[in-house]
Amino acid sequence: MKFSFVISLQNTKFNAIALKENLQQNLEKLKKLSYDGVELAIRDPSTVNIDEMNALLNKNNFTVCAIGTGQAFVEDGLSLTHPDPNIRAYAINRIKKFINLASNIMGKPKIIIGLIRGMKKTNVNAENYFYKSMQDILLEAEKYKIDILIEPINRYETDFINNIHEALIFIRKLNHPRLLLLADTFHMNIEEPNVWQSLEICKEKLGHIHVADTNRWAPGYGHFEWDIFSQTLKKISYSGWISGEMLPKPSEDEAISHTITLLRSLFS
Ligand SMILES: [Mn+2]
């Protein structure tokens, strides 16, 4: 098992990000706590200086396990299911830029399709648009050998793919070896009929995990059952990345230190 924490390269309206801006300073914090790597949240890959970033990652001997794309939706209004074909095309193109960026970064990070998929609302074509957008994205993913993750997100943040069962339907329908599932403990606690059974049914496709407690504070500050979580991951032989994605609660520094302490104790 390898452990990472999310750093946003820029400030953002999305509040479940404990570390933001100043990549160098935040990488040093994670390094000091013996994290194995980092997950990045990036709004627009074209604003990233790849050489500078790789130099920083190299200096800290850090790989990037995944890249979150949600800010392209939250800040720029891009979505893979948007009724306007131009905005859809723009969103697909943005994800292709993410794939290209990932292919040039240490660790060949997986690209997360979370909020960027957009919301259905009254759009009866949303599912069809999503399917077509993903087919296009997966061609690019195959070309650059980058994995793509679909993340179920709770009903208060989106109305489209809220639980693991719904994500698996799309993943099976698209049927592509590069398409995997991201399970997030905060969302699962709200949406899954049984968190442990859901982890078991998706084990073949489980490619990444986000952790936060039930209140989106650091693990250990809510009532998520972390012992059963670790037992279940051992049972399904998950050996990938577990990444901390949470509010800066109880504080930014406590969030990053308590997350790694708990994870190491669960999986030692
Ligand atoms: Mn998440």
Side-chain angles (χ1 to χ4, degrees):
M1 210 74 74
K2 287 168 287 183
F3 306 124
S4 71
F5 203 94
V6 178
I7 298 176
S8 175
L9 291 193
Q10 56 287 306
N11 201 357
T12 172
K13 282 186 259 181
F14 183 65
N15 64 3
I17 297 269
L19 299 177
K20 48 184 94 159
E21 303 172 288
N22 203 334
L23 181 62
Q24 176 161 5
Q25 193 186 315
N26 285 322
L27 283 176
E28 281 165 12
K29 282 186 184 184
L30 296 185
K31 192 72 196 168
K32 212 178 269 178
L33 293 165
S34 303
Y35 276 91
D36 303 303
V38 61
E39 177 177 323
L40 298 174
I42 298 173
R43 176 175 172 173
D44 183 353
S46 58
T47 64
V48 174
N49 182 327
I50 297 180
D51 293 339
E52 236 171 60
M53 180 188 284
N54 275 332
L56 273 181
L57 292 165
N58 254 317
K59 195 174 125 195
N60 293 282
N61 195 24
F62 256 33
T63 50
V64 182
C65 58
I67 300 177
T69 60
Q71 291 176 31
F73 173 75
V74 177
E75 318 280 352
D76 297 332
L78 299 183
S79 108
L80 300 174
T81 56
H82 202 285
D84 181 336
N86 292 320
I87 297 178
R88 270 201 321 278
Y90 208 85
I92 293 167
N93 195 39
R94 178 72 63 95
I95 296 297
K96 288 182 178 177
K97 286 183 188 167
F98 275 107
I99 291 169
N100 189 284
L101 176 74
S103 73
N104 287 302
I105 290 184
M106 278 185 28
K108 295 251 177 174
K110 298 180 172 72
I111 300 298
I112 302 169
I113 304 295
L115 290 172
I116 186 80
R117 62 180 170 270
M119 302 205 193
K120 283 207 284 198
K121 293 183 183 165
T122 56
N123 180 2
V124 292
N125 294 313
E127 290 194 9
N128 189 31
Y129 288 159
F130 182 61
Y131 185 75
K132 292 223 163 79
S133 298
M134 287 302 292
Q135 280 185 314
D136 195 346
I137 286 165
L138 286 164
L139 287 175
E140 197 81 348
E142 186 55 45
K143 195 165 129 195
Y144 288 93
K145 312 248 176 292
I146 294 297
D147 290 336
I148 307 293
L149 298 160
I150 293 183
E151 178 178 20
I153 293 176
N154 78 75
R155 71 190 70 182
Y156 307 106
E157 294 178 63
T158 189
D159 64 358
F160 188 32
I161 310 183
N162 299 124
N163 61 38
I164 283 178
H165 175 74
E166 289 164 6
L168 283 176
I169 290 173
F170 274 99
I171 289 170
R172 289 187 177 134
K173 195 173 162 201
L174 284 154
N175 190 27
H176 193 287
R178 294 238 165 247
L179 185 60
L180 301 169
L181 187 142
L182 192 175
D184 181 316
T185 58
F186 173 72
H187 301 305
M188 280 195 289
N189 174 65
I190 296 170
E191 297 293 345
E192 302 304 324
N194 179 310
V195 172
W196 325 120
Q197 280 173 14
S198 295
L199 284 170
E200 288 190 36
I201 62 163
C202 74
K203 68 176 178 184
E204 306 296 335
K205 289 290 173 188
L206 186 57
H208 194 63
I209 292 177
H210 279 164
V211 288
D213 217 313
T214 49
N215 46 6
R216 222 170 200 173
W217 287 40
Y221 287 91
H223 48 84
F224 196 74
E225 295 178 275
W226 294 102
D227 286 337
I228 310 179
F229 171 71
S230 68
Q231 286 159 23
T232 308
L233 293 190
K234 286 170 194 166
K235 186 176 167 192
I236 64 172
S237 302
Y238 179 78
S239 61
W241 287 87
I242 299 182
S243 204
E245 183 195 45
M246 64 202 66
L247 298 164
K249 297 276 189 178
S251 70
E252 179 186 308
D253 287 341
E254 284 166 300
I256 56 175
S257 68
H258 287 235
T259 298
I260 191 75
T261 304
L262 183 73
L263 289 173
R264 292 258 179 243
S265 75
L266 290 173
F267 295 99
S268 60

